Amino acid sequence: MSKFVVNRRTLIKSGAVAGVGLAMPTILTRPSFAYTNEPTGSSVTLGFNVPQTGPYADEGNDELLAQQLAVEHLNGEGDGGCLNTFTSKALKGNGILGKKVTFVTGDTQTKSDAARASAKSMIEKDGAIMINGGSSSGVAIAVQGMCQDAGVIFMAGLTHSNDTTGKDKKANGFRHFFNGYMSGAALAPVLEGVYGKERRAYHLTADYTWGWTQQESIAAATEAIGWETVKNVLTPLASTDFSSYISPVLNSGADVLVLNHYGGNMINSLTNAIQFGLLDKQVNGKDFAIVVPLYSELMAAGAGENIKGVYGSMNWNWQLPDDGTKSFVKSFGEKYGKPPSNSAQTCYAQTLLYADACERAGTFNPCGVGEALEGFEFDGLGNGPTLYRAADHQCFKDVLVVKGAENPTTAYDTLEIVEVTPRAQVEYAPDHPMFAGGNLGKCNPGA
Amino acid sequence: MVSMMDAILLQILNGLDKGSAYALIALGLTLIFGTLGVVNFAHGALFMIGAFCAVTLQKILNISTITIDPEKTDFLGKPLQVKTPLVETWFGEVAGNAIINWNVPIAIFFSIPIMLAIGFIMERGLIRHFYKRPHADQILVTFGLAIVLQEIIKAFYGANPIPTPAPDVFRGSFDFGVMIGFAKNAIIYPYWRLVYFTFSTAVICAVFAFLQFTTFGMVVRAGMADRETVGLLGINIDRRFTIMFGVAAAVAGLAGVMYTPINSPNYHMGMDFLVLSFVVVVVGGMGSLGGAVLAGFLLGILESFASMNEVKGFFEAIFLPSIDQIIIYLIAIIVLLARPRGLLGRKGVMEE
């Protein structure tokens, strides 16, 4: 039986040989690269990872259009867009650090594993130096972790869960988009003004990371102005008909319905709530109200007339009057014939910010780029003066409170800006309990 | 606060309209299985295509002439292009608006010929080649077809849901509670869901009447019972079964048309219903028309009950969270274990 005997000596010997053998590729290639995918030719490749199939394909397509526009502007083509209004003047329209910008795209399918696989393929096969974009918090957190391990910078796209820059934050990841806490902080005072201090709220919440953190944030913010949270019901992400969740609402004694739903979920739950005539009802002697804390242009389009008079918040809107917004809307609108969505603007701004950080750092090394982005203050990309906070890589800027327009004149002004909530009002300490538990760790240059 | 009685009544009502959609799709499915012996996984896609008939009609009705209004501007500050729908130009503003407003009911007539044609083409073009093949082959090919159909729809209409509202008169909801002596707002039910339930009951009755009281239906039923004997009597049973496939497609399509105001249609709505409808067919008994309808309403109502807060709370307390997500499958497992032929299934089917 004991022909195959392993003693200590042979184990150490064969282990050493195997170890050297396994490490050989790394040993041979290590000297040529200081970090993952260091660009050596005359061009540099960015990786745009957005949903191109599945329910968020239209949103992903909008992000892709904006990122292509950003690449044009970086390479000195087109009208330059926000390069003309950006307060940092490091970008000259000659690519990044003199290298022409090219890009590859991946399809996240709004699924964590598919998104990780497409990001991995762009990094390993196409030599992408960074990953940008996306349309879900679950996906953003998964891809952020993967980019941290691979040693590239990740710019998150549309992700609104507190966890992205909270318990799941990573040194290589940055988020331009706002989050659930900020939505609550911006919405609560407006809701108080419109609906008063004595309201009873019933929450329907999508059962995953984003829904949970947004519900927690909105409940906390509205309870702080005196509202009571009657109930929070978690709804399955795959639900399409919400009637059985909506019908108990009127009888629960609540006079406000908060829909912590996104995309198709929100379109259906809001449509169902309007069908049940909730907005025509009176409860506790008050007109019943519905709140959708996070709006997007595509959700507004999908829900049609049902959004009339319903309050919510947004990261950015093309109707803002500042110069950065104007020049971006002009270049996007003239090229594609429609105004950009707020996720498109996020992905555009992130691409420029990444490029600018490379220029200022004088390198593509993710550690250098990360350092240049940390604590960076700028203006001219929309939303006014903006800070990328070093402590958690969350971006801080003004937040928009919007509501469904009563009398829209075109397909594009269905949401109207009610208030631009100043940045100071939505700021929080990096160790705020809703964001606690995570650790940025150290930047990873990979290679 | 809520009394148990109104909560239960409310969820029965909610279950009825969910059940109507399940019943209509399952009816078509089991009709195809009973006649042609084919398990049609593309049936959800037919439901979705029906919904997009309503979307397409809406687009056609909104074909517009464009005039430039120099007074107003668009988002780039250029003169605004004002669109006037052609139907408004032809029939005047009032009649034109009314036609656009009644888009969904009008789409019923628009969709029937289209769905019959699609059903006919599907059966003659693809599915008939798979009659003699094992069920696994049929499932694979029809499932593939469903994916192809939904990608085609996505290529034309995009992935975002498209709002297709009901006529204005059906907006809002009806207070059932007041009618039967409950407090105000205790039991409310949207008008359109009431319309949907009535409509599907009518369609189901029409299909049953067609099969029960016409010679054509009698032959089809005879064919379902014993295809070979009917064929030996000199009746072209294949042609009749092809027509039944068309009818099944039209039933699924109508279910889709009328569903559009309840939830804005998108390209994968068929898949959302398909799996559930299969469970409905299996629970009702493969090939049993009455079983499909019964199980459709039964599972619709049980699903609504499972999402009641009291029920969810009870199951959470005994460590079975999210009962609302698994109830249908739980019932399916129990029925299949206790009575493999389904509730009203014929003895011997799926039991060998």
Side-chain angles (χ1 to χ4, degrees):
Chain A
M1 265 322 277
S2 58
K3 265 208 157 162
F4 183 71
V5 181
V6 182
N7 60 31
R8 192 175 54 89
R9 184 186 296 248
T10 45
L11 181 72
I12 291 171
K13 266 203 289 192
S14 52
V17 171
V20 171
L22 281 174
M24 215 52 175
T26 339
I27 292 168
L28 291 176
T29 52
R30 182 170 284 266
S32 57
F33 291 109
Y35 51 88
T36 301
N37 291 337
E38 179 177 358
T40 47
S42 59
S43 68
V44 57
T45 306
L46 310 184
F48 298 146
N49 206 22
V50 302
Q52 298 180 44
T53 57
Y56 296 121
D58 290 358
E59 193 158 81
N61 187 45
D62 218 35
E63 292 180 4
L64 214 49
L65 295 179
Q67 292 169 128
Q68 285 164 1
L69 192 67
V71 169
E72 274 180 26
H73 292 166
L74 288 175
N75 286 333
E77 296 155 17
D79 62 6
C82 287
L83 292 192
N84 306 314
T85 54
F86 194 14
T87 47
S88 169
K89 296 294 171 200
L91 292 166
K92 298 281 177 275
N94 61 347
I96 309 175
L97 293 171
K99 293 181 193 294
K100 187 172 171 16
V101 182
T102 59
F103 65 91
V104 288
T105 71
D107 181 7
T108 67
Q109 303 172 31
T110 320
K111 290 177 190 153
S112 298
D113 47 351
R116 250 195 310 251
S118 63
K120 196 166 187 305
S121 149
M122 286 192 283
I123 294 166
E124 288 176 359
K125 289 215 188 86
D126 306 316
I129 186 77
M130 62 89 78
I131 299 294
N132 190 37
S135 230
S136 149
S137 287
V139 165
I141 289 167
V143 176
Q144 179 163 271
M146 196 245 130
C147 288
Q148 176 74 32
D149 296 339
V152 299
I153 289 284
F154 174 61
M155 309 285 278
L158 192 156
T159 158
H160 188 249
S161 169
N162 291 344
D163 291 347
T164 313
T165 47
K167 78 175 175 54
D168 295 310
K169 56 180 171 270
K170 291 281 184 288
N172 284 29
F174 290 85
R175 164 158 71 175
H176 189 79
F177 211 70
F178 71 147
N179 57 39
Y181 176 89
M182 294 176 172
S183 282
L187 267 172
V190 175
L191 294 178
E192 184 183 352
V194 183
Y195 300 123
K197 283 174 180 295
E198 286 169 23
R199 281 281 186 168
R200 295 159 60 83
Y202 192 106
H203 289 246
L204 291 183
T205 302
D207 198 0
Y208 75 110
T209 168
W210 168 73
W212 304 329
T213 64
Q214 173 169 297
Q215 195 278 331
E216 184 189 18
S217 304
I218 302 294
T222 49
E223 279 164 18
I225 58 167
W227 288 21
E228 183 190 337
T229 306
V230 177
K231 196 157 185 68
N232 174 34
V233 176
L234 298 177
T235 60
L237 201 55
S239 300
T240 50
D241 188 353
F242 289 85
S243 58
S244 43
Y245 300 101
I246 302 260
S247 49
V249 173
L250 265 188
N251 252 329
S252 65
D255 45 36
V256 179
L257 174 64
V258 181
L259 297 173
N260 299 301
H261 287 150
Y262 188 75
N265 272 182
M266 173 272 178
I267 292 173
N268 288 346
S269 63
L270 180 62
T271 304
N272 290 167
I274 301 293
Q275 272 163 19
F276 272 84
L278 293 194
L279 284 185
D280 312 327
K281 301 286 176 190
Q282 280 221 325
V283 178
N284 308 331
K286 303 181 185 89
D287 288 334
F288 197 93
I290 300 177
V291 178
V292 175
L294 177 62
Y295 260 129
S296 79
E297 294 81 354
L298 280 164
M299 280 153 66
E305 292 204 338
N306 299 325
I307 61 165
K308 276 186 183 177
V310 174
Y311 283 84
S313 68
M314 273 178 110
N315 186 55
W316 175 86
N317 187 285
W318 67 271
Q319 300 171 79
L320 280 170
D322 64 280
D323 290 339
T325 298
K326 276 187 187 156
S327 52
F328 175 54
V329 172
K330 183 163 174 290
S331 5
F332 191 97
E334 286 186 347
K335 188 158 177 156
Y336 304 119
K338 59 176 181 186
S341 63
N342 78 144
S343 58
Q345 190 268 345
T346 295
C347 292
Y348 176 85
Q350 286 184 161
T351 311
L352 295 195
L353 281 163
Y354 171 80
D356 174 74
C358 292
E359 287 283 350
R360 287 185 291 114
T363 173
F364 290 99
N365 187 325
C367 290
V369 177
E371 212 172 289
L373 280 171
E374 283 180 346
F376 182 45
E377 293 241 29
F378 60 91
D379 197 351
L381 293 184
N383 295 95
T386 307
L387 164 73
Y388 266 51
R389 184 157 74 181
D392 55 4
H393 294 187
Q394 171 65 48
C395 166
F396 287 87
K397 56 191 169 344
D398 297 349
V399 169
L400 309 185
V401 176
V402 296
K403 89 172 185 184
E406 295 292 348
N407 294 306
T409 54
T410 68
Y412 306 123
D413 58 1
T414 50
L415 291 168
E416 64 183 40
I417 300 170
V418 177
E419 189 188 84
V420 178
T421 306
R423 172 173 133 190
Q425 198 182 312
V426 299
E427 279 173 345
Y428 54 85
D431 59 352
H432 187 283
M434 285 185 201
F435 296 83
N439 186 1
L440 270 183
K442 287 179 85 164
C443 83
N444 175 18
Chain B
M1 288 314 267
V2 60
S3 85
M4 214 51 204
M5 196 58 210
D6 17 328
I8 289 171
L9 274 174
L10 198 56
Q11 295 302 356
I12 289 179
L13 284 176
N14 279 331
L16 284 184
D17 64 69
K18 245 184 227 178
S20 324
Y22 296 159
L24 280 180
I25 302 175
L27 182 66
L29 264 176
T30 203
L31 206 55
I32 292 172
F33 181 78
T35 52
L36 303 167
V38 173
V39 182
N40 181 22
F41 262 71
H43 212 66
L46 292 171
F47 173 74
M48 180 269 296
I49 289 175
F52 275 87
C53 284
V55 173
T56 310
L57 183 68
Q58 177 175 258
K59 288 213 179 231
I60 292 172
L61 291 179
N62 280 303
I63 292 175
S64 307
T65 46
I66 292 172
T67 45
I68 304 280
D69 184 345
E71 307 271 297
K72 295 181 188 150
T73 53
D74 70 358
F75 71 98
L76 288 172
K78 293 174 182 159
L80 184 68
Q81 298 183 331
V82 181
K83 291 179 173 176
T84 323
L86 276 179
V87 282
E88 242 176 66
T89 329
W90 292 341
F91 302 108
E93 209 179 318
V94 179
N97 275 333
I99 292 174
I100 293 174
N101 199 246
W102 280 77
N103 159 48
V104 172
I106 296 172
I108 293 176
F109 304 102
F110 176 74
S111 70
I112 290 175
I114 296 178
M115 294 312 298
L116 283 173
I118 289 176
F120 187 79
I121 294 167
M122 247 173 88
E123 200 271 340
R124 285 290 94 184
L126 184 69
I127 291 178
R128 79 183 162 111
H129 302 293
F130 287 84
Y131 288 156
K132 304 259 156 60
R133 306 276 283 270
H135 283 320
D137 289 12
Q138 297 170 351
I139 289 172
L140 281 177
V141 76
T142 50
F143 196 73
L145 181 65
I147 293 171
V148 170
L149 289 175
Q150 76 178 32
E151 289 303 315
I152 290 173
I153 292 291
K154 197 178 103 181
F156 280 99
Y157 295 91
N160 206 45
I162 301 165
T164 320
D168 286 337
V169 285
F170 296 115
R171 295 259 164 94
S173 57
F174 176 66
D175 203 325
F176 251 111
V178 170
M179 203 173 75
I180 50 174
F182 283 98
K184 219 174 146 223
N185 286 344
I187 306 174
I188 55 162
Y189 197 65
Y191 288 119
W192 186 258
R193 286 174 188 256
L194 217 55
V195 172
Y196 194 82
F197 174 63
T198 321
F199 176 81
S200 40
T201 318
V203 171
I204 290 167
C205 291
V207 171
F208 274 90
F210 178 67
L211 289 174
Q212 211 66 40
F213 303 125
T214 62
T215 320
F216 187 98
M218 191 185 69
V219 174
V220 169
R221 277 186 296 127
M224 283 167 83
D226 191 340
R227 182 184 187 137
E228 268 177 26
T229 312
V230 175
L232 286 172
L233 289 173
I235 293 167
N236 186 353
I237 191 71
D238 283 357
R239 201 175 61 90
R240 283 160 210 252
F241 280 179
T242 305
I243 293 172
M244 283 322 288
F245 193 100
V247 170
V251 169
L254 287 178
V257 167
M258 294 296 278
Y259 198 74
T260 52
I262 293 180
N263 277 327
S264 304
N266 63 4
Y267 71 101
H268 62 91
M269 66 188 293
M271 283 294 175
D272 299 338
F273 272 90
L274 177 78
V275 178
L276 288 174
S277 305
F278 261 99
V279 176
V280 168
V281 170
V282 170
V283 169
M286 288 296 271
S288 158
L289 298 175
V293 175
L294 176 75
F297 284 110
L298 195 70
L299 289 181
I301 291 170
L302 280 174
E303 199 187 6
S304 290
F305 273 124
S307 45
M308 273 169 69
N309 293 332
E310 292 80 1
V311 177
K312 278 185 83 162
F314 171 76
F315 279 95
E316 248 156 60
I318 57 167
F319 301 105
L320 259 178
S322 312
I323 183 72
D324 45 340
Q325 301 190 41
I326 56 166
I327 177 81
I328 291 217
Y329 306 100
L330 215 58
I331 302 281
I333 292 169
I334 294 168
V335 168
L336 286 181
L337 284 177
R339 194 179 159 86
R341 75 176 92 146
L343 294 177
L344 300 184
R346 252 183 305 146
K347 195 165 170 40
V349 176
M350 298 282 156
E351 279 182 339
E352 312 76 86

